[in-house]
Amino acid sequence: MKSTRLKITHLKNKISENLPDNGDILGYAGISKATIINSLSESYDILSVLEDYNDKFETIFAKKVRC
């Protein structure tokens, strides 16, 4: 989980540095830099909560399914 959270942080930093602030990234309506960063932040928060349940069956299963 920690490595995934680290990757999310790295990705958020790259997006902040490289994507323009205006809306419609790459022509996709409604997709903006802020929307992407907010989504990644929510994912980061969810992973932080799941870390408390790191050794539970459901968390182990979720890790295996994403591979």
Coordinates of all heavy atoms in Angstrom, one line a residue:
M1 N 0.8 -1.2 0.0 CA 0.0 0.0 0.0 C 0.9 1.3 0.0 O 0.5 2.2 -0.7 CB -0.9 0.0 1.2 CG -1.9 -1.1 1.3 SD -3.4 -0.7 0.5 CE -4.3 -2.1 0.8
K2 N 2.0 1.2 0.7 CA 2.8 2.4 0.8 C 3.4 2.7 -0.5 O 3.5 3.9 -0.9 CB 3.9 2.2 1.9 CG 3.4 2.2 3.3 CD 4.5 2.0 4.3 CE 3.9 2.0 5.7 NZ 4.9 1.8 6.7
S3 N 3.8 1.7 -1.3 CA 4.4 1.9 -2.6 C 3.4 2.5 -3.5 O 3.7 3.4 -4.4 CB 5.0 0.7 -3.2 OG 4.1 -0.3 -3.4
T4 N 2.1 2.1 -3.5 CA 1.1 2.6 -4.3 C 0.8 4.0 -4.0 O 0.6 4.9 -4.8 CB -0.2 1.7 -4.2 OG1 0.1 0.4 -4.5 CG2 -1.3 2.2 -5.1
R5 N 0.8 4.4 -2.7 CA 0.5 5.7 -2.2 C 1.7 6.6 -2.7 O 1.5 7.8 -3.1 CB 0.3 5.8 -0.7 CG -1.0 5.3 -0.3 CD -1.4 5.5 1.1 NE -0.3 6.0 2.0 CZ 0.0 5.5 3.2 NH1 -0.8 4.6 3.7 NH2 1.0 5.9 3.9
L6 N 2.9 6.1 -2.7 CA 4.1 6.9 -3.1 C 3.9 7.1 -4.6 O 4.2 8.3 -5.1 CB 5.3 6.1 -2.8 CG 6.6 6.8 -3.2 CD1 6.8 8.1 -2.4 CD2 7.8 5.9 -2.9
K7 N 3.5 6.2 -5.4 CA 3.3 6.3 -6.8 C 2.2 7.4 -7.1 O 2.3 8.2 -8.0 CB 2.9 5.0 -7.5 CG 4.1 4.0 -7.5 CD 3.7 2.7 -8.1 CE 4.8 1.7 -8.0 NZ 4.4 0.4 -8.5
I8 N 1.1 7.4 -6.3 CA 0.1 8.3 -6.5 C 0.6 9.8 -6.2 O 0.3 10.7 -7.0 CB -1.1 8.0 -5.6 CG1 -1.9 6.8 -6.1 CG2 -2.1 9.2 -5.5 CD1 -2.9 6.3 -5.2
T9 N 1.4 9.9 -5.2 CA 2.0 11.2 -4.9 C 2.9 11.7 -6.0 O 2.8 12.8 -6.4 CB 2.8 11.1 -3.6 OG1 1.9 10.7 -2.5 CG2 3.5 12.5 -3.2
H10 N 3.7 10.8 -6.5 CA 4.6 11.1 -7.7 C 3.8 11.5 -8.9 O 4.1 12.5 -9.6 CB 5.5 9.9 -8.0 CG 6.4 10.1 -9.1 ND1 7.5 11.0 -9.0 CD2 6.4 9.6 -10.4 CE1 8.2 11.0 -10.2 NE2 7.5 10.2 -11.0
L11 N 2.7 10.8 -9.2 CA 1.9 11.1 -10.3 C 1.2 12.4 -10.1 O 1.1 13.2 -11.1 CB 0.8 10.0 -10.5 CG -0.1 10.1 -11.7 CD1 0.7 10.1 -13.0 CD2 -1.1 8.9 -11.7
K12 N 0.7 12.7 -8.9 CA 0.1 14.0 -8.7 C 1.1 15.2 -8.9 O 0.7 16.2 -9.5 CB -0.4 14.1 -7.2 CG -1.7 13.4 -7.0 CD -2.2 13.3 -5.6 CE -2.1 14.5 -4.8 NZ -2.6 14.4 -3.4
N13 N 2.3 15.0 -8.5 CA 3.3 16.0 -8.7 C 3.6 16.2 -10.2 O 3.7 17.3 -10.6 CB 4.6 15.6 -7.9 CG 4.4 15.7 -6.4 OD1 3.6 16.4 -5.9 ND2 5.3 15.0 -5.7
K14 N 3.7 15.1 -10.9 CA 4.0 15.2 -12.4 C 2.8 15.9 -13.1 O 3.0 16.7 -14.0 CB 4.2 13.8 -13.0 CG 5.5 13.2 -12.6 CD 6.6 14.0 -13.3 CE 7.9 13.3 -13.1 NZ 9.0 14.1 -13.7
I15 N 1.6 15.6 -12.7 CA 0.4 16.2 -13.3 C 0.4 17.7 -13.0 O 0.2 18.5 -13.8 CB -0.9 15.5 -12.8 CG1 -1.0 14.1 -13.5 CG2 -2.1 16.4 -13.1 CD1 -2.1 13.3 -12.9
S16 N 0.7 18.0 -11.7 CA 0.8 19.5 -11.3 C 1.8 20.2 -12.1 O 1.6 21.4 -12.5 CB 1.1 19.6 -9.9 OG 0.0 19.1 -9.1
E17 N 2.9 19.6 -12.4 CA 4.0 20.3 -13.1 C 3.7 20.4 -14.7 O 4.1 21.3 -15.3 CB 5.3 19.5 -12.9 CG 5.8 19.6 -11.5 CD 7.0 18.6 -11.3 OE1 7.4 18.0 -12.3 OE2 7.4 18.4 -10.2
N18 N 3.1 19.4 -15.2 CA 3.1 19.2 -16.7 C 1.7 19.5 -17.4 O 1.8 19.9 -18.6 CB 3.5 17.8 -17.1 CG 5.0 17.6 -16.7 OD1 5.8 18.4 -17.0 ND2 5.3 16.5 -16.0
L19 N 0.6 19.4 -16.7 CA -0.6 19.6 -17.4 C -1.0 21.1 -17.3 O -0.8 21.7 -16.2 CB -1.7 18.7 -16.8 CG -1.6 17.3 -17.1 CD1 -2.8 16.5 -16.5 CD2 -1.6 17.0 -18.6
P20 N -1.7 21.6 -18.3 CA -2.2 23.0 -18.2 C -3.3 23.2 -17.2 O -4.0 22.2 -16.9 CB -2.6 23.3 -19.6 CG -3.0 22.0 -20.2 CD -2.1 21.0 -19.5
D21 N -3.5 24.4 -16.6 CA -4.5 24.6 -15.7 C -5.9 24.8 -16.3 O -6.9 24.7 -15.6 CB -4.2 25.9 -14.9 CG -3.0 25.7 -13.9 OD1 -2.8 24.6 -13.4 OD2 -2.3 26.7 -13.7
N22 N -6.0 25.1 -17.5 CA -7.3 25.3 -18.1 C -8.0 23.9 -18.3 O -7.5 22.9 -18.1 CB -7.2 25.9 -19.5 CG -6.3 25.1 -20.5 OD1 -5.8 24.1 -20.1 ND2 -6.1 25.7 -21.7
G23 N -9.3 24.0 -18.5 CA -10.2 22.8 -18.6 C -9.9 22.0 -19.8 O -9.2 22.4 -20.7
D24 N -10.6 20.9 -19.9 CA -10.6 20.0 -21.1 C -9.2 19.6 -21.5 O -8.8 19.9 -22.6 CB -11.4 20.7 -22.3 CG -12.8 21.0 -22.0 OD1 -13.4 20.4 -21.0 OD2 -13.4 21.9 -22.6
I25 N -8.6 18.8 -20.7 CA -7.3 18.3 -21.0 C -7.3 17.4 -22.2 O -8.2 16.5 -22.3 CB -6.7 17.5 -19.8 CG1 -6.7 18.3 -18.5 CG2 -5.4 16.8 -20.1 CD1 -5.6 19.4 -18.6
L26 N -6.5 17.6 -23.1 CA -6.3 16.9 -24.4 C -7.7 16.7 -25.1 O -7.9 15.8 -25.8 CB -5.8 15.5 -24.1 CG -4.4 15.4 -23.4 CD1 -4.0 14.0 -23.1 CD2 -3.3 16.1 -24.4
G27 N -8.5 17.7 -24.9 CA -9.8 17.8 -25.7 C -10.9 17.0 -25.0 O -12.0 16.9 -25.6
Y28 N -10.7 16.4 -23.9 CA -11.8 15.6 -23.2 C -12.6 16.6 -22.4 O -12.1 17.2 -21.4 CB -11.2 14.5 -22.3 CG -10.5 13.4 -23.1 CD1 -9.1 13.4 -23.2 CD2 -11.3 12.5 -23.7 CE1 -8.5 12.4 -24.0 CE2 -10.7 11.5 -24.5 CZ -9.3 11.4 -24.6 OH -8.7 10.4 -25.3
A29 N -13.8 16.8 -22.7 CA -14.7 17.7 -22.0 C -14.9 17.3 -20.6 O -15.2 16.1 -20.3 CB -16.1 17.7 -22.7
G30 N -14.7 18.3 -19.7 CA -15.0 18.0 -18.3 C -13.8 17.4 -17.5 O -13.8 17.3 -16.3
I31 N -12.7 17.1 -18.2 CA -11.5 16.6 -17.6 C -10.5 17.7 -17.4 O -10.0 18.2 -18.4 CB -10.9 15.4 -18.4 CG1 -11.9 14.3 -18.7 CG2 -9.7 14.9 -17.7 CD1 -12.4 13.6 -17.4
S32 N -10.2 18.0 -16.2 CA -9.3 19.1 -15.9 C -8.2 18.6 -15.0 O -8.3 17.5 -14.4 CB -10.0 20.3 -15.3 OG -10.5 19.9 -14.0
K33 N -7.2 19.4 -14.9 CA -6.1 19.1 -14.0 C -6.6 18.9 -12.6 O -6.2 18.0 -11.9 CB -5.1 20.3 -14.1 CG -3.9 20.1 -13.2 CD -3.0 21.4 -13.5 CE -1.7 21.4 -12.7 NZ -0.9 22.5 -13.0
A34 N -7.5 19.8 -12.1 CA -8.0 19.8 -10.8 C -8.8 18.5 -10.6 O -8.7 17.8 -9.5 CB -8.9 21.0 -10.5
T35 N -9.6 18.1 -11.6 CA -10.4 16.9 -11.5 C -9.5 15.6 -11.3 O -9.8 14.8 -10.5 CB -11.3 16.7 -12.7 OG1 -12.1 17.8 -12.9 CG2 -12.2 15.5 -12.6
I36 N -8.4 15.6 -12.1 CA -7.5 14.4 -12.0 C -6.8 14.4 -10.6 O -6.7 13.4 -10.0 CB -6.5 14.5 -13.1 CG1 -7.2 14.3 -14.5 CG2 -5.4 13.4 -13.0 CD1 -6.3 14.6 -15.7
I37 N -6.4 15.5 -10.2 CA -5.7 15.6 -8.9 C -6.6 15.3 -7.7 O -6.3 14.5 -6.8 CB -5.0 17.0 -8.7 CG1 -3.8 17.1 -9.7 CG2 -4.5 17.2 -7.2 CD1 -3.1 18.4 -9.7
N38 N -7.9 15.7 -7.8 CA -8.8 15.4 -6.8 C -9.1 13.9 -6.7 O -9.2 13.3 -5.7 CB -10.2 16.2 -7.0 CG -10.0 17.6 -6.6 OD1 -9.1 18.0 -5.9 ND2 -10.9 18.4 -7.2
S39 N -9.2 13.3 -7.9 CA -9.5 11.9 -8.0 C -8.3 11.1 -7.4 O -8.5 10.1 -6.6 CB -9.7 11.5 -9.4 OG -9.9 10.1 -9.5
L40 N -7.1 11.5 -7.7 CA -5.9 10.8 -7.1 C -5.8 11.0 -5.6 O -5.5 10.1 -4.9 CB -4.7 11.3 -7.8 CG -4.4 10.9 -9.3 CD1 -3.3 11.6 -9.9 CD2 -4.2 9.4 -9.3
S41 N -6.2 12.2 -5.2 CA -6.2 12.4 -3.7 C -7.2 11.5 -3.0 O -7.0 11.0 -1.9 CB -6.6 13.9 -3.4 OG -5.6 14.7 -3.9
E42 N -8.4 11.3 -3.6 CA -9.4 10.4 -3.0 C -8.9 9.0 -3.0 O -9.1 8.3 -2.0 CB -10.7 10.5 -3.8 CG -11.5 11.8 -3.6 CD -12.7 11.9 -4.5 OE1 -13.1 10.8 -5.1 OE2 -13.3 12.9 -4.6
S43 N -8.2 8.6 -4.0 CA -7.6 7.2 -4.1 C -6.5 7.1 -3.0 O -6.5 6.1 -2.3 CB -7.0 7.0 -5.4 OG -7.9 7.0 -6.4
Y44 N -5.7 8.1 -2.8 CA -4.7 8.1 -1.8 C -5.4 8.0 -0.4 O -4.9 7.2 0.4 CB -3.9 9.4 -1.8 CG -2.7 9.5 -0.9 CD1 -1.5 9.1 -1.3 CD2 -2.9 9.9 0.4 CE1 -0.4 9.1 -0.4 CE2 -1.8 9.9 1.3 CZ -0.6 9.5 0.9 OH 0.5 9.6 1.8
D45 N -6.4 8.7 -0.1 CA -7.1 8.7 1.1 C -7.7 7.3 1.4 O -7.7 6.8 2.5 CB -8.2 9.7 1.2 CG -7.7 11.1 1.2 OD1 -6.5 11.3 1.5 OD2 -8.4 12.1 0.9
I46 N -8.3 6.7 0.4 CA -8.9 5.3 0.5 C -7.8 4.3 0.9 O -8.0 3.5 1.7 CB -9.6 4.9 -0.8 CG1 -10.9 5.7 -0.9 CG2 -10.0 3.4 -0.8 CD1 -11.6 5.6 -2.3
L47 N -6.7 4.4 0.2 CA -5.5 3.5 0.5 C -5.0 3.7 1.9 O -4.6 2.7 2.6 CB -4.4 3.7 -0.5 CG -4.7 3.2 -1.9 CD1 -3.5 3.6 -2.8 CD2 -4.8 1.7 -1.9
S48 N -5.1 4.9 2.4 CA -4.6 5.2 3.8 C -5.5 4.5 4.8 O -5.1 3.9 5.8 CB -4.6 6.7 4.1 OG -3.7 7.4 3.2
V49 N -6.9 4.5 4.5 CA -7.8 3.8 5.4 C -7.6 2.3 5.3 O -7.6 1.6 6.3 CB -9.3 4.2 5.0 CG1 -10.3 3.3 5.7 CG2 -9.5 5.7 5.3
L50 N -7.4 1.8 4.1 CA -7.2 0.3 3.9 C -6.0 -0.2 4.6 O -5.9 -1.4 4.9 CB -7.2 0.0 2.4 CG -8.5 0.0 1.7 CD1 -8.3 -0.3 0.2 CD2 -9.5 -0.9 2.3
E51 N -5.0 0.7 4.8 CA -3.8 0.2 5.4 C -4.1 -0.3 6.9 O -3.4 -1.2 7.3 CB -2.7 1.3 5.5 CG -1.4 0.8 5.9 CD -0.3 1.5 5.3 OE1 -0.3 1.6 4.0 OE2 0.6 2.0 6.0
D52 N -5.1 0.2 7.5 CA -5.5 -0.3 8.8 C -6.0 -1.7 8.8 O -5.9 -2.4 9.8 CB -6.5 0.6 9.5 CG -6.1 2.0 9.8 OD1 -4.8 2.2 9.9 OD2 -6.9 2.9 9.9
Y53 N -6.4 -2.2 7.6 CA -6.9 -3.5 7.4 C -6.0 -4.3 6.5 O -6.5 -5.3 5.8 CB -8.3 -3.4 6.8 CG -9.3 -2.6 7.7 CD1 -9.5 -1.3 7.4 CD2 -9.9 -3.2 8.7 CE1 -10.4 -0.6 8.2 CE2 -10.8 -2.5 9.5 CZ -11.0 -1.1 9.2 OH -11.8 -0.4 10.0
N54 N -4.7 -4.0 6.5 CA -3.8 -4.6 5.6 C -3.7 -6.2 5.6 O -3.5 -6.8 4.6 CB -2.4 -4.0 5.8 CG -1.5 -4.1 4.6 OD1 -2.0 -4.2 3.5 ND2 -0.2 -4.1 4.8
D55 N -3.9 -6.8 6.8 CA -3.8 -8.2 6.9 C -5.2 -8.9 6.9 O -5.2 -10.1 7.1 CB -3.1 -8.6 8.2 CG -1.6 -8.1 8.2 OD1 -1.0 -8.1 7.1 OD2 -1.1 -7.7 9.3
K56 N -6.2 -8.2 6.6 CA -7.5 -8.8 6.5 C -7.7 -9.5 5.1 O -7.1 -9.1 4.1 CB -8.6 -7.8 6.7 CG -8.6 -7.1 8.0 CD -9.0 -8.0 9.1 CE -9.0 -7.2 10.4 NZ -9.4 -8.0 11.6
F57 N -8.6 -10.5 5.0 CA -8.8 -11.2 3.8 C -9.2 -10.3 2.7 O -8.7 -10.4 1.6 CB -9.9 -12.3 4.0 CG -10.3 -13.0 2.8 CD1 -9.5 -13.9 2.2 CD2 -11.5 -12.6 2.1 CE1 -9.8 -14.5 1.0 CE2 -11.8 -13.2 0.9 CZ -11.0 -14.2 0.4
E58 N -10.1 -9.4 2.9 CA -10.7 -8.6 1.8 C -9.6 -7.7 1.2 O -9.5 -7.5 0.0 CB -11.8 -7.7 2.4 CG -13.1 -8.5 2.7 CD -13.0 -9.0 4.1 OE1 -12.0 -8.9 4.8 OE2 -14.0 -9.6 4.5
T59 N -8.7 -7.2 2.0 CA -7.6 -6.3 1.5 C -6.6 -7.2 0.7 O -6.2 -6.7 -0.3 CB -6.9 -5.6 2.7 OG1 -7.9 -4.9 3.5 CG2 -5.9 -4.6 2.2
I60 N -6.3 -8.3 1.2 CA -5.3 -9.2 0.5 C -6.0 -9.6 -0.8 O -5.3 -9.6 -1.9 CB -5.0 -10.4 1.4 CG1 -4.2 -10.0 2.6 CG2 -4.2 -11.5 0.6 CD1 -4.1 -11.1 3.7
F61 N -7.2 -9.9 -0.8 CA -7.9 -10.3 -2.1 C -7.9 -9.1 -3.1 O -7.7 -9.3 -4.2 CB -9.4 -10.7 -1.7 CG -10.2 -11.1 -2.9 CD1 -9.9 -12.4 -3.6 CD2 -11.1 -10.3 -3.5 CE1 -10.6 -12.7 -4.7 CE2 -11.9 -10.7 -4.6 CZ -11.6 -11.9 -5.2
A62 N -8.2 -7.9 -2.6 CA -8.2 -6.7 -3.4 C -6.8 -6.5 -4.1 O -6.7 -6.1 -5.2 CB -8.7 -5.5 -2.7
K63 N -5.8 -6.7 -3.3 CA -4.4 -6.6 -3.8 C -4.2 -7.6 -4.9 O -3.6 -7.2 -6.0 CB -3.4 -6.8 -2.7 CG -3.3 -5.7 -1.7 CD -2.2 -6.0 -0.7 CE -2.2 -5.1 0.4 NZ -1.1 -5.5 1.4
K64 N -4.6 -8.8 -4.8 CA -4.4 -9.8 -5.8 C -5.2 -9.6 -7.0 O -4.7 -9.9 -8.1 CB -4.7 -11.2 -5.2 CG -3.9 -11.6 -4.0 CD -2.4 -11.7 -4.4 CE -1.6 -12.1 -3.2 NZ -0.2 -12.1 -3.5
V65 N -6.4 -9.1 -6.9 CA -7.3 -8.9 -8.1 C -6.7 -7.8 -9.0 O -6.8 -7.8 -10.2 CB -8.7 -8.5 -7.6 CG1 -9.6 -8.1 -8.8 CG2 -9.3 -9.8 -7.0
R66 N -6.1 -6.8 -8.4 CA -5.6 -5.6 -9.2 C -4.4 -6.0 -10.0 O -4.0 -5.2 -10.9 CB -5.3 -4.4 -8.3 CG -4.1 -4.5 -7.5 CD -3.9 -3.3 -6.6 NE -2.8 -3.5 -5.7 CZ -1.6 -3.1 -5.9 NH1 -1.3 -2.4 -7.0 NH2 -0.7 -3.3 -5.0
C67 N -3.7 -7.1 -9.8 CA -2.5 -7.4 -10.5 C -2.7 -7.9 -11.8 O -3.6 -8.4 -12.4 CB -1.7 -8.5 -9.7 SG -1.1 -7.9 -8.1

